Amino acid sequence: MNPESLLIARAAESIRKKTDFIPEIVLTLGSGLGAFADTLKPVCVLDYAEIDGFAVSTVEGHRGRLLFTTLEGKRVALMQGRVHLYEGYSPAEAVRPLRTLASLGAKTLFLTNAAGGVNFSFSPGDLMLITDHVSSFVESPLRGENLSEFGPRFPDMSAVYSPELCDKVRKAAKNASLSLKEGVYLQTRGPQFETPAEIRLYRALGADAVGMSTAVEAIAARHAGMSVVGVSCISNLACGMTDTPLSHEEVQETGRAAAKKFLALVRESIRLF
Ligand code: HPA
C-alpha cells in the first residue's frame, strides 16, 4: 500500500475509534474565524494531536481541532485551524486531514480563508466567493504516486468550485442581505507577504485575491471527487496598494471584525446546501 494511503487509513481509524459520526460537509475555518467553533455544541471534539498522522499548526490563530457537529441540519466536520506549506509541511501532509474526512464519507468541502485583496475594487472586510484559483506557484498536493482510491492521475480542474454550490452561496448572501464580491484566488508560498512587484504580476495574471492556503486543499478535494466551494475574507489590501506595511495581526483583526457576517453567510449557505 502507498505510504500516504496507509497514513490516511490510520488517521481515519483513529477518528473511528472515538466517534462513528459520518460528516457530509467539511468546513475549514481560516485565520480569525476559529472562534466560531467555540460557540458550537459539538458531538465530538478531537485535537489534531490526538489523531494519528494529523499535523499540528504552528500559526497563531489556528487552534488545531476537529469538531463534529450538526449545523443547519447538516452533519459537519469543522476544521478549526489548518497547516500550511510555509510551516514546512508537504502538500500531501497539508491535505491529509481532508482526504481522511473524504474517506469517512464527506462529499462537500467548504473552504474559508483570509486573503489579501489584489482587485482595486475590494476593501478590507469584504467577502469574496472564490470562482477559480491559480495554483501555479505552489507544489501540487497530487505530486508523487497517484492515490487511485481517491481519484485519477490527471484529474480535470475545469470547474474546481462547484457552479451549483457557488449559486447557493450567492443566494445565501442575498438572503442574509450581505454584499458578496467574486474572484480568482491565487495561492502563494509564503510565509512572507508579497512584494508590490509580485502583486502587480498576480493582478496581470488575473488574480483578485492572494493567500497561502486554499488552492492545494481544493485540488485534493476535487481529486477525491468532493464538491468544493470557498469564500475569502479580504483581510487587507495586498502589498503596495496602500502605504501601510502588512502584518498577521491586521489579518487576524479584520477576520475577527468580519467574523459575524462571514459566519452568517457560512450558516445560511450550509442551510441551502
Ligand atoms: N497575502 C498573502 N496572504 C494573505 C494576505 C496577503 O496580503 N492577507 C491574508 N492572507
Side-chain angles (χ1 to χ4, degrees):
M1 200 177 189
N2 178 294
E4 186 56 34
S5 302
L6 203 62
L7 288 167
I8 293 165
R10 266 201 215 128
E13 199 182 300
S14 76
I15 294 173
R16 270 290 158 263
K17 277 191 191 140
K18 309 240 161 83
T19 177
D20 56 7
F21 189 97
I22 298 189
E24 296 167 70
I25 300 172
V26 179
L27 172 61
T28 307
L29 297 174
S31 291
L33 289 177
F36 172 54
D38 300 330
T39 67
L40 302 171
K41 288 197 188 69
V43 175
C44 175
V45 183
L46 299 172
D47 282 330
Y48 292 166
E50 291 178 68
I51 306 170
D52 285 344
F54 270 38
V56 177
S57 176
T58 57
V59 185
E60 179 87 16
H62 282 265
R63 272 279 293 275
R65 299 193 311 170
L66 181 62
L67 293 88
F68 293 114
T69 191
T70 303
L71 209 57
E72 305 298 329
K74 310 279 162 42
R75 292 188 309 277
V76 177
L78 236 120
M79 293 185 57
Q80 188 182 18
R82 53 156 69 90
V83 297
H84 306 79
L85 306 187
Y86 62 73
E87 294 177 71
Y89 295 111
S90 68
E93 283 173 309
V95 302
R96 194 177 296 148
L98 275 180
R99 284 174 158 162
T100 302
L101 293 164
S103 75
L104 293 178
K107 299 278 183 273
T108 300
L109 172 63
F110 194 158
L111 291 162
T112 71
N113 61 38
V118 173
N119 186 319
F120 276 111
S121 75
F122 291 178
S123 306
D126 278 352
L127 302 180
M128 183 193 91
L129 176 68
I130 303 174
T131 53
D132 202 353
H133 73 218
V134 175
S135 70
S136 317
F137 299 98
V138 290
E139 196 176 284
S140 170
L142 310 182
R143 181 165 182 253
E145 190 186 326
N146 183 46
L147 304 191
S148 53
E149 70 275 31
F150 288 99
R153 171 76 292 185
F154 300 109
D156 173 59
M157 291 286 145
S158 53
V160 175
Y161 300 87
S162 154
E164 292 78 27
L165 293 181
C166 284
D167 272 345
K168 289 185 177 176
V169 175
R170 290 184 186 105
K171 181 145 194 274
K174 267 209 190 88
N175 291 354
S177 307
L178 292 170
S179 116
L180 183 64
K181 302 280 167 55
E182 299 197 6
V184 172
Y185 174 97
L186 181 145
Q187 183 169 353
T188 60
R189 287 164 185 255
Q192 75 281 4
F193 288 112
E194 302 71 32
T195 63
E198 285 165 339
I199 292 301
R200 287 194 299 275
L201 169 71
Y202 298 155
R203 188 180 299 114
L205 293 178
D208 296 294
V210 284
M212 303 175 193
S213 60
T214 295
V216 288
E217 296 168 2
I219 291 168
R222 279 306 295 145
H223 176 249
M226 295 174 87
S227 299
V228 179
V229 71
V231 178
S232 294
C233 174
I234 303 299
S235 54
N236 56 282
L237 288 180
C239 184
M241 294 170 70
T242 67
D243 294 334
T244 17
L246 303 184
S247 72
H248 185 55
E249 287 67 37
E250 179 191 2
V251 169
Q252 285 188 289
E253 191 39 51
T254 315
R256 277 192 288 270
K260 203 165 160 231
K261 67 173 180 180
F262 204 164
L263 296 170
L265 179 65
V266 167
R267 262 188 187 279
E268 179 62 8
S269 302
I270 288 180
R271 194 179 71 79
L272 300 178
F273 283 178

